[in-house]
Amino acid sequence: MTDAPDSPHWALLHAAVKGSHKKYSQDSSTARLVLGGAGALLAVADGHGSRAHHRSDLGSRWAVEAFTACALALAEDVRRRGGDEARWPAVLAAARGLPQQIVHHWWTRMALHEANSPAGGAWTSGPPPGPDPIPYGSTLVGVLVVGRLLLCWQLGDGDVVLVDETGEPSLPLYDGPELGDEADSLCQAEAWRQMRVHWQRLPVDRHTGVLVSTDGLSKSFADHAGFVSFAAGLRDRARDTGLDRIRDHLPDWLTQAASYSGDDSTLVGAFPAARYALGPQGATEPQPAAEQRHMAGPRGTEGTST
Amino acid sequence: MNGILPEGHVLQAESGEKITVGRMFGAGGQGEVYLAQTPGGERAVKWYYPAQATDLQRRILDSLIGLGWSDDRFLWPQSVVVDPQRLSSGFGYVMALRPDRFKDLPALFRRDPSVSAVNQRTLLIAALHTVEAYQALHARGIAYRDINWGNIFFDPATGEILVCDNDNAVFESEAAAIAGTMDFMAPELVRGHPGAAPGTQTDLHSLAVLLFMLFMNHHPFQGALALKIRCLDEAAQRKLYGTRPVFVFDPDDTTNRPVPGEQDTVLATWRTMPPVLRKLFVQTFTRGLTDPAERVRESQWRIALSSVLDSVLRCSTCDKINLGEPGGPAPECWKCARPLALPQRLELLTGVGSVRGRREVRLIRDGRIYGYHLVSDPLRHDFDDVVGVVTEHPNKRGVFGLTNRSRTAWSTRRPDGTSQPVPPGRTAALRQGITIEFGGGTEGVVHI
């Protein structure tokens, strides 16, 4: 099940746009095939971006890098186990332990940078203070899908949406709207404790796709139901017109979303390649946003219309 | 969440009852758990992944259901269910639903608001209940085999527990479908040592890991060595938990100490542990790693936890509950770092004749004397059976008494030999040297 297939099992989506009022984006992301196409790895990180977190673009980049390094190692572990479901309990134990490894890698990277270039400036007297993680604060949402096993990790806000051919999209890690702007962050003490983990076995006959996004996208909708409707629309369009068309339009849609939320918006996704029309495969980079056009944006009932 | 079984699908129990599948609300390494409607009301159904729905698992389930276990600390399998429409091959089982007041350990680890009622006393009670639950299983010759943080739930307000996923428990020496989760497995099982098999002896290691995580909110082998690993893959887990496990507080090996800045909670919680519990953890996670006979038994945990529970202290400055060392000096408050004052203690002598049990209870404000305090070898700690409550005098601040909440009259005896009855609802003054006779041969002497 997890040997490298002749053609990739997964087709990827990846787009990111800068917030409409921002000088530069603090989001980072990746969408890549793993194990020769037998699996997919998705991650988005949203640097907090305020004055207190003025290096959060770096924080979000390191978050995605740390997640990628750790999740790739886990994917290799799954492959070595041969996809044997009877051994999933051990895989899940590794998945539960991953947050501590991710945060450790992020922390090490941050501490090194702080040592060379303290965000608060060089200290002048007394013993050197410990690294200050606050300027680098970022969320992280990551997904690894290998064979039928789906694993998700989430720290702070952002969304993982599963879309299949039966019923409504599901949001396995969604626990209601955020109260205020206080999100869990990599810069808080023992952040790994706050990272939620979800796993599930993907039914093979439902062709489940996975979408991962920063909250800049979901916040651009009037309510969460609108965002879920957007995800369902994306699935329908992918099925009806193919992922290539989605890739063409996605930057526009995100640009429209960013004009509502004002926030950076990033969306990555993976769909079963055999079910959805194929486009370019392999690791992707964010597609540049097209010029903003006047169109029906994601906010509204049919959020994906152009 | 979408699972193997679609919502509305109808399963059939062995008794012929129809079971309608509702939403899926959980998934683990062996299967998925669904809400279900049965003729008897709402239940949960665990449905096995195809690879896990083996003949062996089916035999284990049949055996467990045949036991008819009705202990309220366990969500025991009630009935096997199959899919008559063959939409999904395999089988599952019906069990009671977990009441919402029971929370999982990850909620505790991440300080979720849903567990904000928890304090060190309720954690102690949860630990005691956990030990007694597994002791009850082991006393029947049943090994749980899959003790881990995913199958224990607790009520943060009361410390009551609920043990779930009991479908891997088997009678000692019988084959089991699962050997356990590697981070909870005894090292000899992780190493695949010839002759090592999951059983009650290996359960003791898993139980100690679970208790450590309950109190310290951290895994006992995940210190600096674990952070050097990029992913706890099979090889890494084998080393960390099997071939070279190092306890994070091993007094002779400091290579795996928790890393300050990244693992501060375990450093802080370990400091709050009274020495009597620390010693048991050190014993089981050092000598017990190589010699299973050195693992702390349930009876040892039980005695130690119960005595620490009797030594709980309350900070007079910040009102936080602290764990005291039985018979030991007063520690500093873990919260405000002020020195704690030791309150009066009640020295209890239980039983009759030459075999008498002895224990001491610190009489903190609102402290309780329970029925189990008044017998020598209680079957279990029942915290609903309150017989006495430490109450403050309504007009004299700082003067305490013990109010009789039992149904029988006590009597007090002063050092001068005079005595006085204490009927139910009345309060005995707590003064140096006073003896309270609780009946049944049990008496308590108050010491300042």
Side-chain angles (χ1 to χ4, degrees):
Chain A
M1 184 175 69
T2 51
D3 291 338
D6 295 334
S7 59
H9 288 169
W10 297 93
L12 304 172
L13 283 179
H14 194 173
V17 301
K18 176 175 70 67
S20 53
H21 307 300
K22 289 191 166 188
K23 286 183 182 171
Y24 58 94
S25 171
Q26 281 101 15
D27 279 4
S28 297
S29 54
T30 189
R32 57 192 293 174
L33 298 175
V34 299
L35 306 179
L41 183 155
L42 309 170
V44 300
D46 180 359
H48 302 331
S50 62
R51 180 175 292 181
H53 309 287
H54 58 278
R55 288 181 171 178
S56 61
D57 56 322
L58 292 173
S60 72
R61 191 208 305 167
W62 299 333
V64 169
E65 289 173 1
F67 174 78
T68 302
C70 294
L72 279 176
L74 181 60
E76 273 299 318
D77 187 42
V78 177
R79 184 190 59 78
R80 277 194 296 271
R81 293 170 198 267
D84 181 359
E85 292 182 15
R87 303 175 79 175
W88 276 10
V91 173
L92 302 182
R96 285 197 309 247
L98 211 66
Q100 206 172 159
Q101 319 299 323
I102 295 167
V103 172
H104 175 65
H105 283 272
W106 183 87
W107 183 276
T108 304
R109 188 73 185 82
M110 178 276 301
L112 178 67
H113 192 84
E114 268 286 280
N116 288 306
S117 172
W123 69 94
T124 52
S125 63
D132 178 10
I134 301 296
Y136 304 88
S138 173
T139 66
L140 174 65
V141 188
V143 166
L144 178 66
V145 52
V146 181
R148 292 183 188 180
L149 179 62
L150 171 83
L151 294 159
C152 312
W153 297 262
Q154 179 162 354
L155 178 71
D157 45 28
D159 295 279
V160 177
V161 188
L162 305 182
V163 289
D164 64 24
E165 298 193 341
T166 59
E168 282 289 293
S170 64
L171 289 81
L173 288 167
Y174 180 66
D175 56 2
E178 291 280 339
L179 298 175
D181 287 333
E182 286 295 317
D184 287 324
S185 168
L186 281 161
C187 69
Q188 70 194 78
E190 294 190 313
W192 50 274
R193 290 185 184 278
Q194 306 301 326
M195 197 178 292
R196 286 169 287 160
V197 185
H198 169 81
W199 60 77
Q200 75 179 77
R201 181 182 185 275
L202 296 177
V204 71
D205 55 341
R206 292 195 206 147
H207 313 291
T208 307
V210 188
L211 297 169
V212 183
S213 55
T214 54
D215 73 332
L217 179 59
S218 59
K219 282 195 308 196
S220 69
F221 293 86
D223 54 31
H224 212 74
F227 171 64
V228 173
S229 173
F230 167 84
L234 209 61
R235 169 201 60 194
D236 295 344
R237 277 177 175 266
R239 185 191 57 216
D240 297 342
T241 66
L243 280 177
D244 278 346
R245 291 290 301 278
I246 300 281
R247 288 193 188 98
D248 289 343
H249 292 294
L250 196 54
D252 288 345
W253 296 336
L254 293 190
T255 301
Q256 188 75 8
S259 73
Y260 285 110
S261 68
D263 200 0
D264 306 325
S265 295
T266 301
L267 176 73
V268 293
F271 285 80
R275 185 66 172 179
Y276 296 88
L278 301 179
Q281 303 298 317
T284 67
E285 295 303 321
Q287 296 183 7
E291 281 186 349
Q292 191 170 333
R293 299 171 195 149
H294 296 288
M295 61 181 183
R299 186 190 291 269
T301 54
E302 298 294 326
T304 57
S305 65
T306 55
Chain B
M1 211 186 302
N2 300 314
I4 299 171
L5 302 173
E7 206 166 327
H9 194 64
V10 178
L11 302 173
Q12 188 169 346
E14 280 187 317
S15 58
E17 287 180 337
K18 302 283 187 229
I19 313 286
T20 306
V21 175
R23 68 178 171 85
M24 173 180 152
F25 62 86
Q30 285 187 295
E32 298 170 346
V33 185
Y34 297 83
L35 193 66
Q37 284 295 338
T38 77
E42 279 196 333
R43 298 281 189 278
V45 162
K46 176 171 176 178
W47 190 258
Y48 291 99
Y49 298 136
Q52 311 280 5
T54 61
D55 291 343
L56 175 59
Q57 186 66 62
R58 178 64 189 261
R59 282 200 302 277
I60 290 170
L61 267 184
D62 288 339
S63 166
L64 293 173
I65 291 166
L67 267 179
W69 185 278
S70 59
D71 192 312
D72 60 3
R73 294 168 293 191
F74 295 87
L75 283 183
W76 205 253
Q78 295 174 344
S79 176
V80 171
V81 288
V82 294
D83 181 6
Q85 300 168 54
R86 293 267 165 202
L87 183 71
S88 175
S89 60
F91 55 89
Y93 67 88
V94 178
M95 60 185 154
L97 274 175
R98 171 169 54 89
D100 194 45
R101 68 189 173 98
F102 289 98
K103 309 299 179 189
D104 60 15
L105 290 190
L108 175 70
F109 301 158
R110 64 174 183 266
R111 302 291 185 266
D112 192 272
S114 67
V115 299
S116 60
V118 80
N119 60 37
Q120 291 204 298
R121 184 173 177 277
T122 52
L123 279 184
L124 261 179
I125 292 173
L128 249 177
H129 282 316
T130 303
V131 168
E132 289 188 341
Y134 288 114
Q135 191 175 31
L137 269 187
H138 291 165
R140 284 190 158 214
I142 301 171
Y144 188 84
R145 310 215 177 201
D146 189 25
I147 296 176
N148 69 68
W149 68 350
N151 45 39
I152 282 279
F153 295 82
F154 74 107
D155 182 335
T158 66
E160 288 170 274
I161 61 135
L162 205 51
V163 185
C164 305
D165 288 342
N166 299 288
D167 49 332
N168 294 303
V170 293
F171 284 100
E172 186 80 14
S173 82
E174 284 183 4
I178 194 167
T181 308
M182 210 185 279
D183 45 347
F184 279 77
M185 270 188 193
E188 64 270 24
L189 294 178
V190 176
R191 290 194 300 268
H193 194 271
T200 52
Q201 194 69 265
T202 57
D203 270 2
L204 292 180
H205 174 86
S206 312
L207 176 62
V209 174
L210 184 63
L211 293 176
F212 188 87
M213 295 191 77
L214 188 65
F215 284 120
M216 260 57 79
N217 302 170
H218 198 95
H219 193 284
F221 302 121
Q222 288 182 2
L225 293 177
L227 289 183
K228 289 179 180 167
I229 300 164
R230 178 153 288 177
C231 164
L232 290 176
D233 60 12
E234 187 167 16
Q237 289 187 52
R238 203 168 291 286
K239 184 176 179 185
L240 206 60
Y241 308 126
T243 57
R244 197 180 176 275
V246 180
F247 180 41
V248 290
F249 295 112
D250 187 324
D252 301 319
D253 186 345
T254 60
T255 56
N256 200 23
R257 284 282 186 270
V259 177
E262 293 191 63
Q263 298 174 325
D264 290 333
T265 295
V266 66
L267 290 166
T269 48
W270 182 250
R271 280 196 294 270
T272 71
M273 276 290 101
V276 63
L277 293 181
R278 282 195 205 184
K279 277 180 198 160
L280 293 184
F281 282 122
V282 168
Q283 175 188 323
T284 210
F285 292 138
T286 55
R287 302 195 301 275
L289 293 179
T290 50
D291 182 0
E294 287 280 352
R295 285 175 192 152
V296 177
R297 297 186 303 279
E298 295 107 328
S299 55
Q300 293 172 280
W301 282 120
R302 194 166 176 259
I303 290 168
L305 291 166
S306 188
S307 65
V308 172
L309 190 60
D310 288 340
S311 308
V312 157
L313 303 171
R314 191 188 290 278
C315 178
S316 58
T317 306
C318 69
D319 209 38
K320 289 291 180 190
I321 292 289
N322 283 256
L323 304 184
E325 172 73 356
E332 288 181 345
C333 174
W334 64 267
K335 179 71 175 174
C336 68
R338 302 277 177 85
L340 296 169
L342 288 177
Q344 293 164 308
R345 62 191 161 90
L346 184 67
E347 181 187 10
L348 282 162
L349 293 168
T350 57
V352 290
S354 58
V355 183
R356 303 207 76 185
R358 180 186 169 280
R359 66 191 302 161
E360 285 190 356
V361 184
R362 286 286 171 191
L363 299 167
I364 62 170
R365 176 167 47 82
D366 295 330
R368 303 280 195 270
I369 300 295
Y370 297 97
Y372 70 78
H373 279 124
L374 308 185
V375 292
S376 294
D377 190 18
L379 204 56
R380 62 190 274 191
H381 289 71
D382 179 357
F383 294 95
D384 290 329
D385 182 20
V386 178
V387 296
V389 178
V390 179
T391 48
E392 192 166 16
H393 192 286
N395 303 321
K396 297 176 184 171
R397 194 171 156 76
V399 175
F400 291 92
L402 187 65
T403 303
N404 185 351
R405 297 286 186 219
S406 74
R407 292 177 183 167
T408 57
W410 305 338
S411 66
T412 58
R413 198 172 61 242
R414 294 197 180 102
D416 64 7
T418 58
S419 66
Q420 195 172 354
V422 185
R426 301 301 295 271
T427 299
L430 294 173
R431 295 199 188 98
Q432 166 69 23
I434 278 186
T435 299
I436 303 173
E437 293 176 346
F438 294 97
T442 299
E443 59 186 24
V445 182
V446 178
H447 300 281
I448 300 293

